[in-house]
Amino acid sequence: MAPPVAPAVDPAVAPAAAEGGGGPRALARQRRRASAARFWVRYRAHRSGLLGLATLALLALIALTAPLTIGSDVQSVTDAPGRPMESPSLEFPLGTDQFGRSLLGLVVWGSRVSLLVGLLAAVLSVAIGALIGITAGHFRGWFATVMMRITDWFLVMPTLVLAIVLATVLSRSLGTIILAIGVTTWPTTARLVRAQTLAVESRPYIERAKALGGGHWHVMSRHVLPNVMPLVLAQTTLIISSAILSEATLAFLGLGDPTVVSWGGLLQDAREAGAVSAGKWWYLVPPGIAIAVVALAFTLCGRAVEAVLNPRLGVTR
């Protein structure tokens, strides 16, 4: 009888595994690092994705340092330093609002709320969609039928109308806005994740895992979830931009939290102050451009991530 053949070892993984003791955890960490390195190399080939990432990094830095560079006093109505709706000048580069507050400071401070709401709403939306998609794809039968019919109902209903209804019924707060956006934008993610789950569970190693005694939770968490995570990541980056736009829309309609400053809230204040009819363009343009830039940056990053995870889409430059 021929002697057993030792399994082949990846030469790029073997040295690191030996340094970490050669255990499965060290091997898994090395593989994750190698996968992240390959992802970054492929991502760098997308110039539009790099542009979007650099823009988001700059905006995140501005938002995080706003308490130090701008200060929270910019939100005060009683201590406003300028005249109401003053045009741009050296003292106020973007002009002032209806209370005499600096629009530059308000736009910078409002980035904290808009980015936070967009990120949390997108995470909530993707979490709901991934949960429903994985469970519906795994259990199938009557459970999958019920879940997909509920998904179809949410899919055909106008998202903005549902969000407005929730924001109207519940109290006006940032939590309400996040909940309203999150629970109305998950159907697309659910359908995509379910399709990917069905494809993953048709592979032979899933049958082997079940034959070896793997339960439902083991199969979904150890085999299905890691394979659908790239899709979930790409979907998250794409939903964040639409979540920011939805937050701005709800705030513009007067359904946001009146105690905080956001880009949509600034547009709502400009509308109430009559900036459109009065020709005060500087009251409308800065928050509108900020919303457009962030939405475009997240979209560029999302498209680049999607192209990296799906090479058949090709390299977009």
Side-chain angles (χ1 to χ4, degrees), residues 106-148:
L106 292 176
V107 170
V108 171
W109 195 265
S111 63
R112 296 168 61 87
V113 174
S114 296
L115 291 176
L116 178 64
V117 171
L119 179 61
L120 294 181
V123 170
L124 177 61
S125 173
V126 171
I128 296 174
L131 177 63
I132 292 179
I134 291 177
T135 54
H138 176 78
F139 290 104
R140 307 183 188 182
W142 65 268
F143 178 81
T145 302
V146 172
M147 289 295 99
M148 288 299 99

Side-chain angles (χ1 to χ4, degrees), residues 221-308:
S221 62
R222 299 296 297 274
H223 299 288
V224 176
L225 183 59
N227 283 280
V228 302
M229 278 305 295
L231 176 63
V232 170
L233 176 61
Q235 191 67 9
T236 301
T237 57
L238 294 174
I239 290 181
I240 290 177
S241 59
S242 61
I244 292 176
L245 292 174
S246 298
E247 184 276 332
T249 302
L250 293 175
F252 177 75
L253 295 175
L255 300 176
D257 190 347
T259 62
V260 298
V261 176
S262 68
W263 292 334
L266 290 176
L267 293 177
Q268 163 67 3
D269 293 340
R271 185 185 65 85
E272 291 182 347
V276 178
S277 58
K280 309 295 185 181
W281 57 267
W282 58 86
Y283 205 162
L284 298 165
V285 172
I289 291 180
I291 294 171
V293 167
V294 171
L296 178 61
F298 273 112
T299 301
L300 292 177
C301 290
R303 294 303 181 187
V305 171
E306 189 178 20
V308 170

Side-chain angles (χ1 to χ4, degrees), residues 10-245:
D10 188 349
V13 175
E19 292 177 2
R25 292 184 179 179
L27 184 61
R29 285 195 298 268
Q30 173 63 15
R31 287 177 175 174
R32 285 194 293 268
R33 287 194 294 267
S35 178
R38 288 193 301 269
F39 175 85
W40 175 243
V41 170
R42 294 171 183 172
Y43 187 91
R44 287 188 303 176
H46 298 264
R47 298 175 183 175
S48 59
L50 288 178
L51 177 61
L53 184 61
T55 302
L56 291 179
L58 178 61
L59 291 174
L61 179 63
I62 292 174
L64 291 174
T65 58
L68 301 176
T69 58
I70 302 298
S72 59
D73 295 340
V74 71
Q75 304 179 79
S76 176
V77 176
T78 58
D79 298 332
R83 296 188 302 272
M85 302 180 72
E86 185 179 350
S87 61
S89 61
L90 293 178
E91 184 180 3
F92 303 106
L94 298 181
T96 61
D97 68 347
Q98 58 180 328
F99 303 110
R101 299 177 297 180
S102 172
L103 277 175
L104 176 60
L106 292 176
V107 170
V108 171
W109 195 265
S111 63
R112 296 168 61 87
V113 174
S114 296
L115 291 176
L116 178 64
V117 171
L119 179 61
L120 294 181
V123 170
L124 177 61
S125 173
V126 171
I128 296 174
L131 177 63
I132 292 179
I134 291 177
T135 54
H138 176 78
F139 290 104
R140 307 183 188 182
W142 65 268
F143 178 81
T145 302
V146 172
M147 289 295 99
M148 288 299 99
R149 296 298 77 79
I150 294 175
T151 302
D152 292 339
W153 184 85
F154 274 94
L155 196 61
V156 299
M157 287 294 292
T159 301
L160 181 60
V161 174
L162 292 177
I164 290 175
V165 171
L166 288 176
T168 304
V169 173
L170 302 177
S171 60
R172 297 174 60 183
S173 64
L174 291 181
T176 298
I177 297 297
I178 294 172
L179 181 65
I181 298 174
V183 301
T184 57
T185 57
W186 56 266
T188 302
T189 303
R191 296 192 68 87
L192 291 174
V193 171
R194 180 176 181 267
Q196 184 69 12
T197 300
L198 292 175
V200 171
E201 295 216 350
S202 65
R203 297 172 183 171
Y205 69 86
I206 297 294
E207 294 296 330
R208 290 196 295 268
K210 294 179 180 178
L212 292 174
H216 297 299
W217 174 253
H218 175 82
V219 172
M220 289 189 293
S221 62
R222 299 296 297 274
H223 299 288
V224 176
L225 183 59
N227 283 280
V228 302
M229 278 305 295
L231 176 63
V232 170
L233 176 61
Q235 191 67 9
T236 301
T237 57
L238 294 174
I239 290 181
I240 290 177
S241 59
S242 61
I244 292 176
L245 292 174

